[in-house]
Amino acid sequence: MTKIFDFTKNINENELKEAAKSIKDGNLVIFPTETVYGIGANALNSKAVDNIFVAKGRANDNPLIVHISDFYMLDNLVQNISDIERKLMDAFMPGPFTLILKKREIIPDNVSANLDTVGIRMPNNKIAHDLIETSGVPIAAPSANLSSKPSGTKIDDIKDEFLNKVDIIIDGGDSFVGLESTVVKVIDNIPTILRPGKITPEDITEIIGSCKLSNNLFTKADGIVESPGMKYKHYAPNNKCILVYSDSNNLLLELIKENIIDNTLIIGSVENKDKFNCKYLSYGSKVNLDEISHNIFSLLREADRYNPDLIIIEGVKKEGLGIAIMNRLIRASSYNYIEK
Ligand code: TXA
Ligand code: MG
């Protein structure tokens, strides 16, 4: 039986200790971070880590991120940190940021899917921080969702998928950012974004003076990819889904109208809410990308519950946080993307 700990108002110290012990004992604990919820296990215990892959139904060639509470944990896990990597960590940790570093032997092979690197993240969330610190071990954690479902950002969605599959679920309220961390690897001295997120290319350029986007952020990845996660179908609703975008709102409205069929559900901006004769879920204002990022994954799940024949999603401009939003939405729509 899964225990649910409610830390939405405050952290209960006894329950925190129990959750930390559960991690140490090799069990799975779902915990909040500022990006999305994570399904965590002791990163140094390969048997515990195996259970993450089972609970999620995750392919075992897709590596996990290792979460630390403070920098003192780092030297035991990774090696040969360059100046650029240090600068990135100083600037963006703790925060919605993951850095791929050369791993040490102590990281089990299943955590890193046999790569010689490991993703390191220091969440900026008090519950996550205290859980890692109290357990005294780094925590390997992918997003808390069944493989091919949107990442879990709301406790009810998480309970639906993981009740009685994990030892403890810690409720920390809705995830603040709502999209997973920016994943960066320094390649030939240039920070390269493998997965876009709340930390944008502009943020990174400001610190390092350069930043590249990986090739496969908006297209389907084939063959060798920089990050195994790019290969997998992600965040897909059960129903057919089209993503549309135009800089001109008039063209955008036309595009949506052209594609509507019977039983279409639209996910889009509050500005366009009353323009159509279909079920409409608003993700917030066009001009507030933080709000859209916060809402989008739970809306994809909600859309599915209506069982429409078609979901049309209004896209956003691929700029700043919009890059991350569009990266997720293009995948959700299985690359059915129309731009005018
Ligand atoms: O915000 C987040 O990052 C959340 C929270 C829980 O921290 N975690 C998360 O983990 O999104 P996950 O496992 O769902 O996504 C990890 C991504 C995958 O796309 C994976 O392929 C990539 O990071 N990744 C992990 N280790 C890697 C490595 N060594 N080299 C390249 N990519 C890596
Ligand atoms: Mg994930």
Side-chain angles (χ1 to χ4, degrees):
M1 265 264 295
T2 300
K3 286 177 218 153
I4 313 276
F5 294 164
D6 181 356
F7 288 6
T8 49
K9 295 211 174 59
N10 55 283
I11 297 175
N12 177 308
E13 289 302 326
N14 288 329
E15 288 174 342
L16 177 73
K17 282 189 193 133
E18 189 178 339
K21 181 169 184 306
S22 178
I23 290 277
K24 270 209 96 164
D25 290 347
N27 301 312
L28 302 184
V29 173
I30 293 183
F31 62 99
T33 82
E34 79 276 40
T35 56
V36 299
Y37 276 79
I39 171 167
N42 177 352
L44 306 180
N45 176 339
S46 68
K47 268 179 92 175
V49 167
D50 268 339
N51 290 330
I52 295 180
F53 287 91
V54 174
K56 275 188 66 110
R58 178 169 173 124
N60 50 20
D61 66 347
N62 195 4
L64 307 180
I65 293 171
V66 172
H67 297 68
I68 59 174
S69 57
D70 297 275
F71 282 116
Y72 72 79
M73 288 182 145
L74 196 66
D75 287 342
N76 191 32
L77 306 174
V78 296
Q79 51 191 326
N80 304 342
I81 302 174
S82 70
D83 288 347
I84 295 177
E85 288 163 343
R86 283 228 185 267
K87 269 194 191 166
L88 287 167
M89 287 192 281
D90 285 345
F92 302 120
M93 291 186 185
F97 181 77
T98 297
L99 190 60
I100 307 296
L101 294 164
K102 185 149 172 46
K103 73 162 201 170
R104 286 190 190 276
E105 288 258 318
I106 193 171
I107 305 275
D109 287 337
N110 56 352
V111 170
S112 58
N114 294 311
L115 300 173
D116 61 0
T117 54
V118 63
I120 299 285
R121 170 155 137 71
M122 192 191 295
N124 188 12
N125 172 289
K126 173 98 172 97
I127 298 170
H129 172 273
D130 290 3
L131 178 67
I132 302 164
E133 182 173 64
T134 310
S135 65
V137 294
I139 297 183
S143 50
N145 54 278
L146 296 176
S147 206
S148 93
K149 289 284 174 195
S151 294
T153 60
K154 280 186 186 298
I155 198 69
D156 287 342
D157 296 335
I158 284 161
K159 285 185 195 161
D160 277 353
E161 289 182 358
F162 290 106
L163 214 55
N164 298 329
K165 289 192 185 169
V166 299
D167 192 31
I168 295 168
I169 296 175
I170 302 177
D171 181 357
D174 293 354
S175 307
F176 181 72
V177 176
L179 291 181
E180 311 86 346
S181 62
T182 306
V183 177
V184 171
K185 185 176 184 182
V186 177
I187 302 174
D188 297 332
N189 293 320
I190 299 177
T192 306
I193 295 185
L194 308 185
R195 182 178 68 183
K198 170 80 181 145
I199 304 294
T200 64
E202 292 77 25
D203 296 332
I204 292 170
T205 303
E206 201 169 296
I207 302 293
I208 306 296
S210 63
C211 180
K212 253 176 58 178
L213 291 179
S214 179
N215 289 330
N216 297 117
L217 299 189
F218 304 112
T219 49
K220 200 166 182 164
D222 287 313
I224 295 172
V225 291
E226 279 153 348
S227 178
M230 293 172 172
K231 284 186 307 195
Y232 295 99
K233 189 168 177 222
H234 257 101
Y235 328 118
N238 294 324
N239 309 284
K240 183 168 183 211
C241 193
I242 308 178
L243 177 66
V244 298
Y245 179 72
S246 172
D247 281 333
S248 141
N249 199 53
N250 283 337
L251 281 181
L252 179 72
L253 294 176
E254 259 176 43
L255 265 181
I256 294 177
K257 281 189 182 135
E258 277 166 21
N259 282 284
I260 289 175
I261 58 170
D262 282 350
N263 196 20
T264 294
L265 181 149
I266 301 173
I267 301 177
S269 63
V270 67
E271 288 87 345
N272 290 333
K273 191 170 173 18
D274 299 317
K275 307 270 167 58
F276 311 99
N277 227 337
C278 345
K279 178 78 201 159
Y280 195 97
L281 303 177
S282 162
Y283 55 43
S285 170
K286 265 177 181 306
V287 294
N288 188 344
L289 296 180
D290 284 318
E291 190 182 13
I292 299 174
S293 123
H294 179 80
N295 290 329
I296 195 69
F297 280 150
S298 60
L299 283 180
L300 287 174
R301 288 169 183 273
E302 192 181 336
D304 253 349
R305 285 183 212 122
Y306 288 97
N307 200 23
D309 291 325
L310 176 68
I311 299 174
I312 301 179
I313 308 178
E314 175 183 334
V316 300
K317 202 174 179 63
K318 291 195 205 103
E319 256 177 28
L321 181 55
I323 297 173
I325 294 169
M326 288 300 273
N327 166 265
R328 307 308 194 275
L329 289 180
I330 281 174
R331 282 150 181 264
S333 58
S334 304
Y335 307 92
N336 291 317
Y337 176 51
I338 314 172
E339 186 176 328
K340 241 187 193 166

